[in-house]
Amino acid sequence: MTKLLLGRYLPGDSWVHKLDPRTKLMASFYYIGIIFLANNWQTYLLMFMATMVMVAASKIKLGFFLRGVRPMIWLILFTVMLQVFFTKGGATYWSWGWLAITQYGLTNGAFIFMRFVLIIFVSTLLTLTTQPLSLADAVESLLKPLRVLHVPVTELALVLQIALRFVPTLMDQTTKIMNAQRARGVDFGSGNLFQQMKAVVPLLIPLFVDSFGIAEDLATAMDARGYQGGDGRTKYRVLQYHRKDIVAGMIMAGLTIALIFLKA
Amino acid sequence: MDITFDHVSFTYQAGTPFAGDGLKDVTTTIKDGSYTAIIGHTGSGKSTLLQHLNALLKPTAGTVTIGDRVITNETNNKNLKPIRREVGMVFQFAENQLFEQTVAKDIAFGPTNFGVPAEEAEKQAAAMVALVGLPPEVLEQSPFDLSGGQMRRVAIAGVLAMKPSVLVLDEPTAGLDPAGRAEMMTMFNRLHQEQGLTIVLVTHQMDDVADYADHVLVMDQGRLVKEGTPREIFQDADWLADHQLGLPKTAAMARRLTAQGFRFDPLPLTTAQLADQLLPQIGGPAHD
């Protein structure tokens, strides 16, 4: 469980760390959007360079990003293989029945591979440089226009914040309960599938009980502190755009223009 | 069964940016049949040390010898069950581990995992419930219908049911009322006296250390900074204060009395010892 890198925050003091979380969130989504504009070597090279510059600006070692790719590697390889074997066109290098390795297939495979890696890099960058709570703030702030449609944005944000706040707590609790049951002779992750599923019961039931306990205590505590929900509550963590954020926006715009200019 | 630590170091999540220190170069032995207390302020590595006692954690460097099994960094996760049966572990807030539909089944869970037939294990459960001071009616109740203190007892009964030869207790009385605490500690002591159970106790209650332990390990920042008998440890109050620890109430009292001109030798650790030494000095009859 501790090996999972996606969704973890790495404290730091870089240019990227200090950006407004809304900027980072929007820029990440935007980046993932414009990556689909890339369709030739020049554009992919440009996107690759841009990503590397962002990674460098975050002052986080490249190794962590590569580690972020690792859990997805089989999905990536599977997709790349599909592209390589099933794309027709250009010179054919090898074929067997309806399988063929063609020139287009190979380039498509390489492009898809790049696309995956860059998307994972950028989303890893987002979570590694942004505290989960600021991310929740950013989501709340960005969803605000939906209030017109009577979407309970503040409540959703509260749910998100509480959920994020309790991820580490529940992780700790999971480890503790696993250890306690291990000490009572449970072997997690061994035996056949059925045995493995059965071994999860002594973990899940206490975890559920504990979560409901936490929820109830927290609700009472919030009540006791005068929480009534709804609008009209003030905000303590106020988000503010700075010059950096404008620069980041301009970089994204510049990238888009360059992409449109370079794409085939 | 002796448990020996030989230059044990442990780092949490070694090799990641989240790496944190756990233990640094700990060498000590927990002797068979001893009652060892581990003290130290929060975050000093007590719980990390405990989890090495039944190989829940494996040392990053050094070796832990549990009975005749040597645990190193490379030890396989398989075949650790015999160790876990020998070394019973009661975690902090052990009531969190309950999950079965009835108390009887929950207590029988541990032994069944170690191969005891279910029927026999549930029969054993009745004895265990009595041992931890609960009425037999609870056996058929759901553990979630019990009070927090009763749940704690059920959890402890579940560990005792495995018939371990070493019992590891991580603040077993945290959050219990004074009567429950005293009862619990007396029960552990009885098991230690009567069945020769080796007990390792992590606690912040210096009184418990003074009352029951015969060996004390003091941890600070992942290091074992001092070990000895309770008397040796509590002799130097200033040193303890430097390590954010206190004295048992009796020793603290004796210390204040010394400042008033009374003399104590050796340092009294229990109320009875204090009274014994104090009575002749205030001209009272000898205590018997």
Side-chain angles (χ1 to χ4, degrees), chain B residues 7-244:
Chain B
H7 298 285
V8 170
S9 295
F10 180 79
T11 313
Y12 281 102
Q13 303 192 37
T16 73
F18 312 103
D21 282 333
L23 293 179
K24 287 177 208 144
D25 198 30
V26 173
T27 301
T28 187
T29 300
I30 290 163
K31 290 219 174 59
D32 188 38
S34 69
Y35 196 132
T36 307
I38 304 177
I39 58 176
H41 65 92
T42 319
S44 58
K46 302 185 299 281
S47 296
T48 315
L49 186 70
L50 278 197
Q51 292 181 48
H52 283 82
L53 294 175
N54 69 352
L56 282 175
L57 294 179
K58 281 172 280 183
T60 320
T63 58
V64 182
T65 314
I66 307 170
D68 46 15
R69 277 291 294 271
V70 181
I71 306 289
T72 66
N73 197 16
E74 274 106 46
T75 303
N76 199 298
N77 271 329
K78 283 183 182 126
N79 307 321
L80 291 175
K81 267 192 172 183
I83 292 181
R84 303 215 167 122
R85 179 175 199 168
E86 284 294 304
V87 185
M89 198 166 278
V90 176
F91 284 86
Q92 262 175 56
F93 301 103
E95 57 270 28
N96 284 337
Q97 70 190 35
L98 302 179
F99 72 100
E100 275 286 8
Q101 284 140 320
T102 67
V103 168
K105 278 188 190 163
D106 206 288
I107 296 177
F109 179 68
T112 339
N113 282 330
F114 293 116
V116 177
E119 264 178 50
E120 202 180 313
E122 290 200 28
K123 233 178 274 168
Q124 241 179 54
M128 288 304 145
V129 158
L131 184 67
V132 295
L134 288 172
E137 296 92 81
V138 297
L139 277 172
E140 292 312 310
Q141 275 177 288
S142 158
F144 299 110
D145 287 339
L146 304 177
S147 76
Q150 287 175 317
M151 284 168 80
R152 179 79 57 86
R153 284 157 195 260
V154 172
I156 291 173
V159 174
L160 290 175
M162 307 187 311
K163 307 268 185 212
S165 61
V166 180
L167 184 63
V168 182
L169 306 163
D170 193 354
E171 297 188 47
T173 59
L176 289 187
D177 57 41
R181 197 149 75 200
E183 229 176 278
M184 205 67 98
M185 291 312 295
T186 326
M187 181 201 68
F188 291 135
N189 198 40
R190 211 177 55 231
L191 289 172
H192 170 64
Q193 304 281 350
E194 289 171 6
Q195 302 178 12
L197 203 63
T198 312
I199 291 188
V200 182
L201 171 75
V202 163
T203 186
H204 289 293
Q205 308 287 329
M206 295 304 147
D207 294 329
D208 288 344
V209 178
D211 287 347
Y212 304 112
D214 51 36
H215 193 72
V216 184
L217 309 178
V218 187
M219 300 289 297
D220 191 25
Q221 293 179 3
R223 285 177 199 283
L224 178 66
V225 285
K226 202 169 188 176
E227 67 175 314
T229 63
R231 189 157 277 129
E232 286 162 8
I233 299 293
F234 292 129
Q235 205 63 251
D236 192 349
D238 297 326
W239 184 87
L240 282 171
D242 282 347
H243 290 83
Q244 300 174 44

